[in-house]
Amino acid sequence: MDERFECCRYEPSLEDLLADEVMTPVLRSAGLEAQELRDMMVETARRIEDRGRRIAWAKQAEPE
């Protein structure tokens, strides 16, 4: 396998990303604190899960 792709197999956690020194100015420029970003990501994940459940429920409720 091409070695270029091996470096990309590690997926950093949110904590890893927020600990990166580059993130501080990025968050600051967006007007966010690290905890605000965490909270937004948790809320977004919850909404995606809820939407997936609603879609699955709607598919089950459809007459065949």
Side-chain angles (χ1 to χ4, degrees):
M1 178 175 257
D2 191 341
E3 289 182 27
R4 291 179 298 173
F5 296 109
E6 292 298 317
C7 70
C8 301
R9 294 200 179 226
Y10 167 72
E11 293 185 29
S13 69
L14 176 58
E15 294 308 313
D16 292 337
L17 292 172
L18 291 175
D20 189 300
E21 63 187 31
V22 172
M23 286 302 291
T24 301
V26 170
L27 289 172
R28 189 179 313 125
S29 72
L32 294 171
E33 296 290 328
Q35 188 58 47
E36 289 176 293
L37 181 61
R38 282 184 197 93
D39 293 345
M40 284 193 316
M41 292 187 77
V42 167
E43 177 63 17
T44 300
R46 185 193 61 76
R47 287 180 180 190
I48 290 169
E49 283 184 17
D50 288 351
R51 183 173 184 258
R53 286 188 197 113
R54 285 193 307 273
I55 290 169
W57 181 84
K59 285 183 180 180
Q60 289 177 347
E62 287 179 354
E64 292 184 29

Short mmCIF file of all heavy atoms in Angstrom, two decimals:
data_model
loop_
_atom_site.label_atom_id
_atom_site.label_comp_id
_atom_site.label_asym_id
_atom_site.label_seq_id
_atom_site.Cartn_x
_atom_site.Cartn_y
_atom_site.Cartn_z
N MET A 1 0.84 -1.18 0.00
CA MET A 1 0.00 0.00 0.00
C MET A 1 0.88 1.25 0.00
O MET A 1 1.94 1.27 0.58
CB MET A 1 -0.92 -0.03 1.22
CG MET A 1 -1.79 1.19 1.32
SD MET A 1 -2.96 1.11 2.66
CE MET A 1 -4.42 0.73 1.72
N ASP A 2 0.39 2.27 -0.60
CA ASP A 2 1.11 3.53 -0.68
C ASP A 2 1.27 4.12 0.72
O ASP A 2 0.32 4.27 1.46
CB ASP A 2 0.31 4.49 -1.56
CG ASP A 2 1.10 5.74 -1.93
OD1 ASP A 2 2.08 6.04 -1.23
OD2 ASP A 2 0.71 6.39 -2.90
N GLU A 3 2.49 4.47 1.10
CA GLU A 3 2.77 4.98 2.44
C GLU A 3 2.10 6.33 2.71
O GLU A 3 1.89 6.69 3.86
CB GLU A 3 4.27 5.09 2.66
CG GLU A 3 4.93 3.74 2.80
CD GLU A 3 6.42 3.85 3.07
OE1 GLU A 3 6.84 4.88 3.63
OE2 GLU A 3 7.14 2.93 2.71
N ARG A 4 1.77 7.07 1.70
CA ARG A 4 1.11 8.36 1.90
C ARG A 4 -0.22 8.20 2.63
O ARG A 4 -0.62 9.06 3.39
CB ARG A 4 0.85 9.06 0.57
CG ARG A 4 2.11 9.53 -0.11
CD ARG A 4 1.79 10.18 -1.40
NE ARG A 4 1.14 9.20 -2.27
CZ ARG A 4 0.59 9.45 -3.43
NH1 ARG A 4 0.59 10.68 -3.88
NH2 ARG A 4 0.04 8.52 -4.16
N PHE A 5 -0.89 7.10 2.41
CA PHE A 5 -2.19 6.89 3.02
C PHE A 5 -2.08 6.39 4.45
O PHE A 5 -3.01 6.52 5.22
CB PHE A 5 -3.03 5.93 2.18
CG PHE A 5 -3.34 6.50 0.83
CD1 PHE A 5 -2.76 5.98 -0.30
CD2 PHE A 5 -4.22 7.56 0.70
CE1 PHE A 5 -3.03 6.50 -1.54
CE2 PHE A 5 -4.50 8.10 -0.53
CZ PHE A 5 -3.91 7.57 -1.66
N GLU A 6 -0.97 5.80 4.81
CA GLU A 6 -0.78 5.30 6.17
C GLU A 6 -0.84 6.41 7.19
O GLU A 6 -1.34 6.22 8.30
CB GLU A 6 0.55 4.54 6.29
CG GLU A 6 0.59 3.24 5.52
CD GLU A 6 -0.43 2.23 6.01
OE1 GLU A 6 -0.60 2.08 7.23
OE2 GLU A 6 -1.08 1.60 5.16
N CYS A 7 -0.36 7.58 6.85
CA CYS A 7 -0.34 8.69 7.81
C CYS A 7 -1.75 9.19 8.11
O CYS A 7 -1.97 9.84 9.12
CB CYS A 7 0.52 9.83 7.30
SG CYS A 7 -0.20 10.70 5.91
N CYS A 8 -2.70 8.90 7.28
CA CYS A 8 -4.05 9.42 7.44
C CYS A 8 -5.00 8.46 8.15
O CYS A 8 -6.17 8.73 8.26
CB CYS A 8 -4.62 9.77 6.08
SG CYS A 8 -3.62 10.99 5.20
N ARG A 9 -4.50 7.35 8.64
CA ARG A 9 -5.38 6.36 9.27
C ARG A 9 -5.75 6.72 10.69
O ARG A 9 -6.72 6.22 11.22
CB ARG A 9 -4.74 4.99 9.23
CG ARG A 9 -4.62 4.51 7.82
CD ARG A 9 -4.47 3.05 7.77
NE ARG A 9 -4.38 2.69 6.38
CZ ARG A 9 -5.03 1.70 5.86
NH1 ARG A 9 -5.78 0.95 6.61
NH2 ARG A 9 -4.91 1.43 4.59
N TYR A 10 -5.01 7.60 11.32
CA TYR A 10 -5.31 8.03 12.68
C TYR A 10 -6.34 9.14 12.62
O TYR A 10 -6.15 10.14 11.94
CB TYR A 10 -4.04 8.51 13.37
CG TYR A 10 -4.29 9.24 14.66
CD1 TYR A 10 -4.72 8.56 15.79
CD2 TYR A 10 -4.12 10.61 14.75
CE1 TYR A 10 -4.98 9.23 16.96
CE2 TYR A 10 -4.36 11.29 15.92
CZ TYR A 10 -4.80 10.59 17.03
OH TYR A 10 -5.05 11.26 18.20
N GLU A 11 -7.44 8.96 13.32
CA GLU A 11 -8.44 10.00 13.40
C GLU A 11 -8.37 10.62 14.79
O GLU A 11 -8.72 9.97 15.78
CB GLU A 11 -9.83 9.45 13.14
CG GLU A 11 -10.01 8.98 11.72
CD GLU A 11 -11.44 8.55 11.43
OE1 GLU A 11 -12.37 9.08 12.07
OE2 GLU A 11 -11.61 7.69 10.58
N PRO A 12 -7.93 11.86 14.88
CA PRO A 12 -7.80 12.48 16.20
C PRO A 12 -9.17 12.69 16.84
O PRO A 12 -10.17 12.90 16.16
CB PRO A 12 -7.13 13.82 15.91
CG PRO A 12 -7.42 14.09 14.48
CD PRO A 12 -7.55 12.76 13.81
N SER A 13 -9.19 12.62 18.15
CA SER A 13 -10.42 12.89 18.89
C SER A 13 -10.66 14.39 18.92
O SER A 13 -9.79 15.19 18.59
CB SER A 13 -10.29 12.35 20.31
OG SER A 13 -9.34 13.13 21.03
N LEU A 14 -11.84 14.75 19.36
CA LEU A 14 -12.14 16.17 19.51
C LEU A 14 -11.18 16.81 20.50
O LEU A 14 -10.70 17.92 20.28
CB LEU A 14 -13.59 16.36 19.97
CG LEU A 14 -14.02 17.79 20.24
CD1 LEU A 14 -13.84 18.67 19.01
CD2 LEU A 14 -15.45 17.82 20.74
N GLU A 15 -10.88 16.10 21.58
CA GLU A 15 -9.94 16.62 22.56
C GLU A 15 -8.56 16.84 21.95
O GLU A 15 -7.89 17.83 22.24
CB GLU A 15 -9.85 15.71 23.78
CG GLU A 15 -11.13 15.65 24.57
CD GLU A 15 -11.67 17.03 24.95
OE1 GLU A 15 -10.90 17.88 25.42
OE2 GLU A 15 -12.88 17.24 24.76
N ASP A 16 -8.12 15.91 21.09
CA ASP A 16 -6.83 16.07 20.40
C ASP A 16 -6.85 17.33 19.53
O ASP A 16 -5.89 18.11 19.52
CB ASP A 16 -6.52 14.87 19.51
CG ASP A 16 -6.24 13.59 20.28
OD1 ASP A 16 -5.85 13.68 21.47
OD2 ASP A 16 -6.42 12.51 19.69
N LEU A 17 -7.93 17.51 18.81
CA LEU A 17 -8.03 18.67 17.93
C LEU A 17 -8.05 19.98 18.72
O LEU A 17 -7.37 20.94 18.36
CB LEU A 17 -9.29 18.57 17.06
CG LEU A 17 -9.28 17.45 16.02
CD1 LEU A 17 -10.65 17.34 15.38
CD2 LEU A 17 -8.20 17.67 14.98
N LEU A 18 -8.81 19.99 19.81
CA LEU A 18 -8.90 21.21 20.60
C LEU A 18 -7.60 21.52 21.34
O LEU A 18 -7.33 22.67 21.66
CB LEU A 18 -10.06 21.12 21.59
CG LEU A 18 -11.45 21.14 20.94
CD1 LEU A 18 -12.52 20.91 21.99
CD2 LEU A 18 -11.69 22.42 20.18
N ALA A 19 -6.80 20.50 21.59
CA ALA A 19 -5.52 20.70 22.27
C ALA A 19 -4.44 21.22 21.31
O ALA A 19 -3.41 21.72 21.76
CB ALA A 19 -5.05 19.39 22.91
N ASP A 20 -4.69 21.14 20.02
CA ASP A 20 -3.72 21.61 19.04
C ASP A 20 -3.58 23.13 19.14
O ASP A 20 -4.57 23.85 19.22
CB ASP A 20 -4.19 21.21 17.64
CG ASP A 20 -3.14 21.46 16.58
OD1 ASP A 20 -2.72 22.63 16.43
OD2 ASP A 20 -2.74 20.50 15.92
N GLU A 21 -2.36 23.61 19.14
CA GLU A 21 -2.12 25.05 19.30
C GLU A 21 -2.72 25.90 18.20
O GLU A 21 -2.97 27.09 18.38
CB GLU A 21 -0.62 25.32 19.41
CG GLU A 21 0.16 24.95 18.17
CD GLU A 21 1.66 25.07 18.36
OE1 GLU A 21 2.15 24.86 19.47
OE2 GLU A 21 2.32 25.37 17.35
N VAL A 22 -2.98 25.31 17.05
CA VAL A 22 -3.58 26.06 15.95
C VAL A 22 -5.05 26.38 16.22
O VAL A 22 -5.58 27.38 15.75
CB VAL A 22 -3.44 25.26 14.63
CG1 VAL A 22 -4.20 25.90 13.50
CG2 VAL A 22 -1.98 25.09 14.26
N MET A 23 -5.69 25.54 17.02
CA MET A 23 -7.12 25.72 17.27
C MET A 23 -7.45 26.96 18.09
O MET A 23 -8.51 27.55 17.92
CB MET A 23 -7.70 24.48 17.96
CG MET A 23 -7.86 23.30 17.03
SD MET A 23 -8.91 23.67 15.60
CE MET A 23 -10.49 23.83 16.39
N THR A 24 -6.56 27.38 18.97
CA THR A 24 -6.85 28.54 19.81
C THR A 24 -7.16 29.78 18.97
O THR A 24 -8.21 30.39 19.14
CB THR A 24 -5.70 28.79 20.80
OG1 THR A 24 -5.54 27.64 21.61
CG2 THR A 24 -5.98 30.00 21.67
N PRO A 25 -6.28 30.15 18.05
CA PRO A 25 -6.62 31.33 17.23
C PRO A 25 -7.80 31.09 16.29
O PRO A 25 -8.56 32.02 16.00
CB PRO A 25 -5.33 31.64 16.46
CG PRO A 25 -4.50 30.42 16.55
CD PRO A 25 -4.92 29.69 17.78
N VAL A 26 -7.97 29.86 15.84
CA VAL A 26 -9.11 29.56 14.96
C VAL A 26 -10.41 29.76 15.73
O VAL A 26 -11.34 30.40 15.23
CB VAL A 26 -9.01 28.12 14.40
CG1 VAL A 26 -10.30 27.71 13.70
CG2 VAL A 26 -7.82 27.99 13.46
N LEU A 27 -10.49 29.19 16.93
CA LEU A 27 -11.69 29.36 17.75
C LEU A 27 -11.91 30.83 18.10
O LEU A 27 -13.03 31.32 18.06
CB LEU A 27 -11.60 28.51 19.01
CG LEU A 27 -11.72 27.01 18.82
CD1 LEU A 27 -11.42 26.28 20.11
CD2 LEU A 27 -13.09 26.64 18.29
N ARG A 28 -10.84 31.49 18.45
CA ARG A 28 -10.94 32.91 18.81
C ARG A 28 -11.50 33.71 17.63
O ARG A 28 -12.37 34.57 17.81
CB ARG A 28 -9.58 33.46 19.22
CG ARG A 28 -9.66 34.85 19.82
CD ARG A 28 -8.32 35.41 20.27
NE ARG A 28 -7.54 34.45 21.04
CZ ARG A 28 -6.29 34.08 20.74
NH1 ARG A 28 -5.66 34.60 19.72
NH2 ARG A 28 -5.64 33.21 21.49
N SER A 29 -11.01 33.43 16.43
CA SER A 29 -11.49 34.18 15.25
C SER A 29 -12.96 33.89 14.96
O SER A 29 -13.65 34.72 14.39
CB SER A 29 -10.63 33.86 14.02
OG SER A 29 -10.90 32.56 13.55
N ALA A 30 -13.42 32.71 15.39
CA ALA A 30 -14.84 32.37 15.22
C ALA A 30 -15.68 32.87 16.38
O ALA A 30 -16.90 32.70 16.39
CB ALA A 30 -14.98 30.85 15.09
N GLY A 31 -15.02 33.44 17.39
CA GLY A 31 -15.74 33.94 18.55
C GLY A 31 -16.23 32.84 19.47
O GLY A 31 -17.24 32.99 20.14
N LEU A 32 -15.51 31.71 19.50
CA LEU A 32 -15.92 30.56 20.30
C LEU A 32 -14.87 30.19 21.33
O LEU A 32 -13.68 30.43 21.14
CB LEU A 32 -16.13 29.33 19.41
CG LEU A 32 -17.27 29.38 18.41
CD1 LEU A 32 -17.18 28.18 17.48
CD2 LEU A 32 -18.60 29.41 19.12
N GLU A 33 -15.33 29.57 22.37
CA GLU A 33 -14.47 28.91 23.35
C GLU A 33 -14.53 27.42 23.05
O GLU A 33 -15.49 26.94 22.43
CB GLU A 33 -14.97 29.17 24.78
CG GLU A 33 -14.92 30.61 25.19
CD GLU A 33 -13.49 31.11 25.39
OE1 GLU A 33 -12.62 30.30 25.79
OE2 GLU A 33 -13.24 32.29 25.14
N ALA A 34 -13.54 26.68 23.52
CA ALA A 34 -13.49 25.24 23.26
C ALA A 34 -14.75 24.55 23.77
O ALA A 34 -15.31 23.68 23.08
CB ALA A 34 -12.24 24.63 23.90
N GLN A 35 -15.23 24.91 24.96
CA GLN A 35 -16.43 24.27 25.50
C GLN A 35 -17.66 24.56 24.66
O GLN A 35 -18.52 23.70 24.48
CB GLN A 35 -16.67 24.70 26.96
CG GLN A 35 -17.78 23.91 27.64
CD GLN A 35 -17.52 22.41 27.65
OE1 GLN A 35 -16.43 21.96 27.99
NE2 GLN A 35 -18.51 21.63 27.25
N GLU A 36 -17.75 25.76 24.10
CA GLU A 36 -18.87 26.08 23.22
C GLU A 36 -18.87 25.19 21.98
O GLU A 36 -19.92 24.72 21.55
CB GLU A 36 -18.80 27.53 22.78
CG GLU A 36 -19.10 28.54 23.87
CD GLU A 36 -18.92 29.95 23.37
OE1 GLU A 36 -17.76 30.33 23.08
OE2 GLU A 36 -19.92 30.68 23.29
N LEU A 37 -17.69 24.95 21.42
CA LEU A 37 -17.59 24.07 20.25
C LEU A 37 -17.99 22.65 20.63
O LEU A 37 -18.73 21.99 19.89
CB LEU A 37 -16.18 24.10 19.67
CG LEU A 37 -15.98 23.24 18.44
CD1 LEU A 37 -16.88 23.69 17.29
CD2 LEU A 37 -14.52 23.25 18.00
N ARG A 38 -17.50 22.17 21.78
CA ARG A 38 -17.89 20.83 22.24
C ARG A 38 -19.41 20.73 22.36
O ARG A 38 -20.02 19.77 21.88
CB ARG A 38 -17.29 20.53 23.62
CG ARG A 38 -15.86 20.15 23.63
CD ARG A 38 -15.43 19.77 25.06
NE ARG A 38 -14.00 19.77 25.18
CZ ARG A 38 -13.27 20.81 25.58
NH1 ARG A 38 -13.84 21.94 25.94
NH2 ARG A 38 -11.97 20.72 25.64
N ASP A 39 -20.01 21.73 23.01
CA ASP A 39 -21.46 21.72 23.20
C ASP A 39 -22.21 21.72 21.87
O ASP A 39 -23.20 21.00 21.70
CB ASP A 39 -21.89 22.93 24.04
CG ASP A 39 -21.39 22.87 25.47
OD1 ASP A 39 -20.95 21.78 25.92
OD2 ASP A 39 -21.44 23.93 26.15
N MET A 40 -21.74 22.53 20.92
CA MET A 40 -22.38 22.56 19.60
C MET A 40 -22.27 21.22 18.90
O MET A 40 -23.22 20.76 18.26
CB MET A 40 -21.76 23.65 18.73
CG MET A 40 -22.21 25.04 19.09
SD MET A 40 -21.82 26.33 17.89
CE MET A 40 -20.14 25.98 17.42
N MET A 41 -21.12 20.57 19.03
CA MET A 41 -20.92 19.28 18.36
C MET A 41 -21.81 18.20 18.99
O MET A 41 -22.39 17.37 18.28
CB MET A 41 -19.46 18.89 18.38
CG MET A 41 -18.64 19.82 17.50
SD MET A 41 -16.96 19.30 17.31
CE MET A 41 -17.17 17.98 16.14
N VAL A 42 -21.94 18.22 20.31
CA VAL A 42 -22.82 17.27 20.99
C VAL A 42 -24.27 17.49 20.55
O VAL A 42 -24.99 16.53 20.24
CB VAL A 42 -22.68 17.39 22.53
CG1 VAL A 42 -23.79 16.66 23.25
CG2 VAL A 42 -21.32 16.87 22.97
N GLU A 43 -24.69 18.73 20.49
CA GLU A 43 -26.05 19.04 20.06
C GLU A 43 -26.28 18.63 18.61
O GLU A 43 -27.33 18.09 18.26
CB GLU A 43 -26.34 20.53 20.25
CG GLU A 43 -27.70 20.98 19.76
CD GLU A 43 -28.86 20.36 20.49
OE1 GLU A 43 -28.67 19.81 21.60
OE2 GLU A 43 -29.98 20.40 19.95
N THR A 44 -25.31 18.87 17.75
CA THR A 44 -25.43 18.48 16.35
C THR A 44 -25.54 16.96 16.22
O THR A 44 -26.38 16.45 15.47
CB THR A 44 -24.24 19.00 15.54
OG1 THR A 44 -24.23 20.43 15.62
CG2 THR A 44 -24.31 18.57 14.08
N ALA A 45 -24.72 16.24 16.97
CA ALA A 45 -24.78 14.77 16.93
C ALA A 45 -26.14 14.29 17.41
O ALA A 45 -26.72 13.35 16.84
CB ALA A 45 -23.68 14.18 17.81
N ARG A 46 -26.69 14.91 18.46
CA ARG A 46 -28.00 14.53 18.97
C ARG A 46 -29.07 14.76 17.91
O ARG A 46 -29.93 13.91 17.67
CB ARG A 46 -28.35 15.32 20.22
CG ARG A 46 -29.67 14.87 20.87
CD ARG A 46 -30.17 15.84 21.90
NE ARG A 46 -30.46 17.16 21.37
CZ ARG A 46 -31.54 17.47 20.65
NH1 ARG A 46 -32.42 16.55 20.35
NH2 ARG A 46 -31.72 18.70 20.21
N ARG A 47 -29.00 15.89 17.23
CA ARG A 47 -29.99 16.18 16.18
C ARG A 47 -29.90 15.18 15.02
O ARG A 47 -30.91 14.77 14.47
CB ARG A 47 -29.80 17.60 15.66
CG ARG A 47 -30.25 18.65 16.62
CD ARG A 47 -30.04 20.02 16.05
NE ARG A 47 -30.46 21.04 16.98
CZ ARG A 47 -30.58 22.31 16.67
NH1 ARG A 47 -30.29 22.73 15.46
NH2 ARG A 47 -30.97 23.17 17.59
N ILE A 48 -28.68 14.82 14.65
CA ILE A 48 -28.49 13.85 13.57
C ILE A 48 -29.09 12.50 13.98
O ILE A 48 -29.78 11.85 13.19
CB ILE A 48 -27.01 13.72 13.19
CG1 ILE A 48 -26.54 15.00 12.50
CG2 ILE A 48 -26.76 12.50 12.31
CD1 ILE A 48 -25.04 15.10 12.32
N GLU A 49 -28.83 12.07 15.20
CA GLU A 49 -29.40 10.81 15.70
C GLU A 49 -30.91 10.87 15.71
O GLU A 49 -31.58 9.93 15.28
CB GLU A 49 -28.88 10.50 17.10
CG GLU A 49 -27.49 9.96 17.13
CD GLU A 49 -27.07 9.59 18.55
OE1 GLU A 49 -27.94 9.44 19.44
OE2 GLU A 49 -25.86 9.45 18.77
N ASP A 50 -31.47 11.96 16.22
CA ASP A 50 -32.93 12.11 16.27
C ASP A 50 -33.52 12.07 14.86
O ASP A 50 -34.55 11.43 14.64
CB ASP A 50 -33.32 13.43 16.94
CG ASP A 50 -33.08 13.43 18.44
OD1 ASP A 50 -32.77 12.35 19.01
OD2 ASP A 50 -33.19 14.52 19.05
N ARG A 51 -32.87 12.73 13.94
CA ARG A 51 -33.37 12.73 12.55
C ARG A 51 -33.33 11.32 11.97
O ARG A 51 -34.27 10.89 11.31
CB ARG A 51 -32.53 13.67 11.70
CG ARG A 51 -33.02 13.79 10.27
CD ARG A 51 -32.26 14.89 9.52
NE ARG A 51 -32.81 15.05 8.21
CZ ARG A 51 -32.24 14.56 7.10
NH1 ARG A 51 -31.11 13.90 7.16
NH2 ARG A 51 -32.81 14.76 5.92
N GLY A 52 -32.24 10.60 12.24
CA GLY A 52 -32.13 9.23 11.77
C GLY A 52 -33.23 8.35 12.33
O GLY A 52 -33.81 7.51 11.63
N ARG A 53 -33.55 8.54 13.61
CA ARG A 53 -34.63 7.77 14.24
C ARG A 53 -35.97 8.10 13.61
O ARG A 53 -36.79 7.21 13.37
CB ARG A 53 -34.67 8.04 15.74
CG ARG A 53 -33.56 7.38 16.49
CD ARG A 53 -33.78 7.54 18.00
NE ARG A 53 -32.55 7.27 18.68
CZ ARG A 53 -31.83 8.16 19.35
NH1 ARG A 53 -32.25 9.40 19.47
NH2 ARG A 53 -30.70 7.83 19.93
N ARG A 54 -36.21 9.40 13.36
CA ARG A 54 -37.49 9.80 12.74
C ARG A 54 -37.63 9.21 11.35
O ARG A 54 -38.70 8.74 10.98
CB ARG A 54 -37.61 11.32 12.70
CG ARG A 54 -37.91 11.96 14.03
CD ARG A 54 -38.34 13.42 13.89
NE ARG A 54 -37.41 14.24 13.13
CZ ARG A 54 -36.36 14.87 13.63
NH1 ARG A 54 -36.09 14.80 14.90
NH2 ARG A 54 -35.60 15.60 12.85
N ILE A 55 -36.56 9.23 10.59
CA ILE A 55 -36.60 8.66 9.24
C ILE A 55 -36.86 7.16 9.30
O ILE A 55 -37.69 6.63 8.55
CB ILE A 55 -35.30 8.99 8.47
CG1 ILE A 55 -35.25 10.48 8.16
CG2 ILE A 55 -35.18 8.15 7.20
CD1 ILE A 55 -33.90 10.96 7.63
N ALA A 56 -36.15 6.47 10.20
CA ALA A 56 -36.35 5.02 10.34
C ALA A 56 -37.78 4.72 10.77
O ALA A 56 -38.41 3.79 10.25
CB ALA A 56 -35.35 4.44 11.35
N TRP A 57 -38.32 5.51 11.70
CA TRP A 57 -39.68 5.30 12.16
C TRP A 57 -40.67 5.53 11.02
O TRP A 57 -41.61 4.76 10.84
CB TRP A 57 -39.99 6.25 13.32
CG TRP A 57 -41.37 6.05 13.86
CD1 TRP A 57 -41.78 5.12 14.76
CD2 TRP A 57 -42.55 6.79 13.49
NE1 TRP A 57 -43.11 5.25 14.99
CE2 TRP A 57 -43.63 6.26 14.22
CE3 TRP A 57 -42.78 7.84 12.61
CZ2 TRP A 57 -44.92 6.75 14.10
CZ3 TRP A 57 -44.08 8.33 12.50
CH2 TRP A 57 -45.12 7.79 13.23
N ALA A 58 -40.45 6.57 10.22
CA ALA A 58 -41.34 6.88 9.11
C ALA A 58 -41.33 5.76 8.07
O ALA A 58 -42.37 5.40 7.52
CB ALA A 58 -40.96 8.21 8.46
N LYS A 59 -40.16 5.18 7.84
CA LYS A 59 -40.07 4.08 6.89
C LYS A 59 -40.83 2.86 7.39
O LYS A 59 -41.46 2.14 6.62
CB LYS A 59 -38.62 3.72 6.61
CG LYS A 59 -37.94 4.73 5.72
CD LYS A 59 -36.51 4.31 5.42
CE LYS A 59 -35.85 5.33 4.52
NZ LYS A 59 -34.46 4.96 4.20
N GLN A 60 -40.76 2.60 8.69
CA GLN A 60 -41.49 1.46 9.26
C GLN A 60 -42.98 1.69 9.22
O GLN A 60 -43.76 0.75 9.09
CB GLN A 60 -41.07 1.23 10.72
CG GLN A 60 -39.68 0.69 10.85
CD GLN A 60 -39.29 0.55 12.32
OE1 GLN A 60 -39.94 1.06 13.22
NE2 GLN A 60 -38.18 -0.14 12.55
N ALA A 61 -43.41 2.94 9.33
CA ALA A 61 -44.83 3.27 9.37
C ALA A 61 -45.46 3.31 7.98
O ALA A 61 -46.68 3.31 7.85
CB ALA A 61 -45.04 4.61 10.07
N GLU A 62 -44.65 3.33 6.93
CA GLU A 62 -45.18 3.38 5.57
C GLU A 62 -45.90 2.08 5.23
O GLU A 62 -45.40 0.98 5.50
CB GLU A 62 -44.05 3.58 4.55
CG GLU A 62 -43.44 4.95 4.54
CD GLU A 62 -42.31 5.08 3.54
OE1 GLU A 62 -41.92 4.07 2.93
OE2 GLU A 62 -41.79 6.19 3.40
N PRO A 63 -47.08 2.19 4.63
CA PRO A 63 -47.77 0.96 4.19
C PRO A 63 -47.05 0.35 3.01
O PRO A 63 -46.46 1.06 2.18
CB PRO A 63 -49.16 1.47 3.78
CG PRO A 63 -49.00 2.94 3.56
CD PRO A 63 -47.83 3.39 4.36
N GLU A 64 -47.09 -0.93 2.96
CA GLU A 64 -46.38 -1.63 1.85
C GLU A 64 -47.27 -1.85 0.68
O GLU A 64 -48.38 -1.89 0.60
CB GLU A 64 -45.83 -2.96 2.35
CG GLU A 64 -44.74 -2.73 3.34
CD GLU A 64 -44.11 -4.04 3.80
OE1 GLU A 64 -44.11 -5.00 3.03
OE2 GLU A 64 -43.64 -4.08 4.92
#
